[in-house]
Amino acid sequence: MVAKIIDGNAVAKQVRAEYRTRVEGLVALGCKPGLAVILVGDNPASKVYVDKKAKACAEVGLHSEVYRFPADVHQDVIIAEIAKLNADPSIHGILVQLPLPPHFQIRQVLETISHEKDVDGFHLYNVGGLVVGGIVFPPCTPYGVQRLLESENISVAGQNVVVVGASNIVGKPMALMLMQSEATVVICHAKTRDLAQFTILADILVVAAGVPNLILPQMVKTGAVVIDVGINRLPNGRLVGDVDFEGVKKKASYITPVPGGVGPMTVTMLVVNTVQSAERMLERTKGLAPQPSQVTVLA
Ligand code: NAD
């Protein structure tokens, strides 16, 4: 068996085209979706991600602003900036690029973002929504994985899904979203004993550990769908995922490459969340505006 390679760039392109049309519709109604990104310090990877986010916004027709601060900025300055953005009607999505420098209390910063503009989905309100099934802003990377599975009509209901990695931004929300879609979900992490005994049972295997070559062919069931979220830079400069792509591709039914798999989807789903936020805000504003039938005419 040779796996079909799921082309994340192609799916991302298709989603962006679909949302460009939706943005045109919003602009026609006088609402241009806007994203504000807060970047603290000069982490080179963070700078690259922020540039990609701004570029994706421009491509789909969104307005975006990047607020840059030095690494030693006081947390209160960031909180005050977020408060201003919360009140700014031209901004529909706010994100703080992680990681933040060590002197920050990350949860306190994330909780300051209005949950109605929390396009990364990291506010406790939105995390709670994931748990009870009322998802407003699905976190972008798991949302991208979900969209990739849909693009191939891969149904998750009733499937055995194993998620390797249990971080707050990828593994845990991924597992919750898959559970919401009625998959049977197992979560593995760095302390899991004998990882292979779990991965071999997976109909769908999602790997987000940040360890190159963690998943070898003998750990994968024949015909499994393998989604590689990992991004690792090898000493020779090559970018690889967590899966032995060449080996596993001979056993899986579908596989995502790195680069060109989940990565392009993450940025795209951020745009999607921002557009959906703008649509919801417009809906709310329209609801507040007096409709012709509600206007009382005084005789
Ligand atoms: P993280 O370091 O916060 O979490 C890693 C998780 O993997 C932890 O739960 C840890 O217990 C688990 N883990 C580590 N080693 C393991 C092992 N040997 N066996 C089983 N589990 C193990 O990382 P993260 O932020 O969740 O990111 C994970 C990977 O995904 C990284 O490579 C990151 O660069 C990548 N990533 C990619 C995208 C994308 O858009 N493609 C987005 C976010 C993260």
Side-chain angles (χ1 to χ4, degrees):
M1 170 173 279
V2 178
K4 177 171 182 198
I5 295 169
I6 304 178
D7 183 347
N9 284 319
V11 180
K13 200 171 157 198
Q14 202 184 322
V15 175
R16 288 182 195 195
E18 181 196 322
Y19 273 79
R20 201 176 307 124
T21 311
R22 282 168 76 152
V23 169
E24 282 162 13
L26 282 167
V27 171
L29 293 170
C31 170
K32 183 166 182 151
L35 174 72
V37 180
I38 294 182
L39 175 62
V40 181
D42 48 14
N43 177 326
S46 291
K47 282 182 176 171
V48 171
Y49 290 138
V50 167
D51 286 349
K52 279 189 181 172
K53 288 167 186 176
K55 205 170 144 216
C57 282
E59 192 189 319
V60 183
L62 278 69
H63 160 71
S64 74
E65 300 169 357
V66 182
Y67 295 82
R68 294 168 206 272
F69 296 91
D72 61 356
V73 66
H74 196 283
Q75 172 168 306
D76 289 350
V77 175
I78 301 302
I79 286 181
E81 191 60 59
I82 294 173
K84 259 197 270 170
L85 293 165
N86 281 342
D88 182 342
S90 72
I91 294 299
H92 307 90
I94 302 169
L95 82 82
V96 176
Q97 184 64 42
L98 299 178
L100 284 169
H103 66 281
F104 275 83
Q105 287 178 291
I106 295 177
R107 284 254 58 101
Q108 207 178 327
V109 172
L110 297 180
E111 271 21 299
T112 308
I113 298 173
S114 159
H115 64 80
E116 290 174 343
K117 298 190 178 185
D118 173 40
V119 282
D120 257 344
F122 295 159
H123 188 289
L124 275 185
Y125 178 92
N126 286 316
V127 176
L130 272 178
V131 176
V132 297
I135 302 175
V136 181
F137 291 112
C140 301
T141 302
Y143 198 9
V145 171
Q146 188 184 50
R147 189 68 182 71
L148 284 179
L149 293 171
E150 282 168 12
S151 74
E152 297 291 344
N153 293 316
I154 298 166
S155 166
V156 301
Q159 300 293 305
N160 290 342
V161 180
V162 176
V163 179
V164 180
S167 71
N168 288 339
I169 63 167
V170 189
K172 281 187 210 162
M174 183 80 257
L176 288 163
M177 287 166 70
L178 290 161
M179 211 179 352
Q180 183 67 27
S181 304
E182 299 182 302
T184 302
V185 182
V186 169
I187 310 174
C188 300
H189 45 74
K191 295 275 169 70
T192 299
R193 279 181 285 125
D194 187 9
L195 185 62
Q197 69 172 316
F198 298 102
T199 58
I200 197 75
L201 295 176
D203 301 313
I204 301 173
L205 179 62
V206 182
V207 193
V211 181
N213 272 325
L214 179 65
I215 304 297
L216 303 172
Q218 60 270 31
M219 299 166 75
V220 177
K221 182 163 105 173
T222 301
V225 174
V226 180
I227 307 290
D228 191 353
V229 181
I231 303 178
N232 308 289
R233 176 86 55 192
L234 296 180
N236 65 9
R238 224 181 107 216
L239 214 54
V240 296
D242 292 350
V243 176
D244 165 12
F245 180 79
E246 290 306 324
V248 171
K249 153 177 118 175
K250 298 190 185 102
K251 237 182 142 183
S253 56
Y254 292 88
I255 191 167
T256 58
V258 177
V262 177
M265 293 304 292
T266 296
V267 182
T268 302
M269 301 325 274
L270 174 69
V271 173
V272 165
N273 273 346
T274 307
V275 175
Q276 289 180 348
S277 174
E279 287 172 345
R280 282 197 289 268
M281 276 186 214
L282 187 67
E283 199 54 44
R284 280 198 295 273
T285 325
K286 267 194 343 204
L288 286 175
Q291 302 297 306
S293 59
Q294 296 171 330
V295 176
T296 311
V297 181
L298 296 173

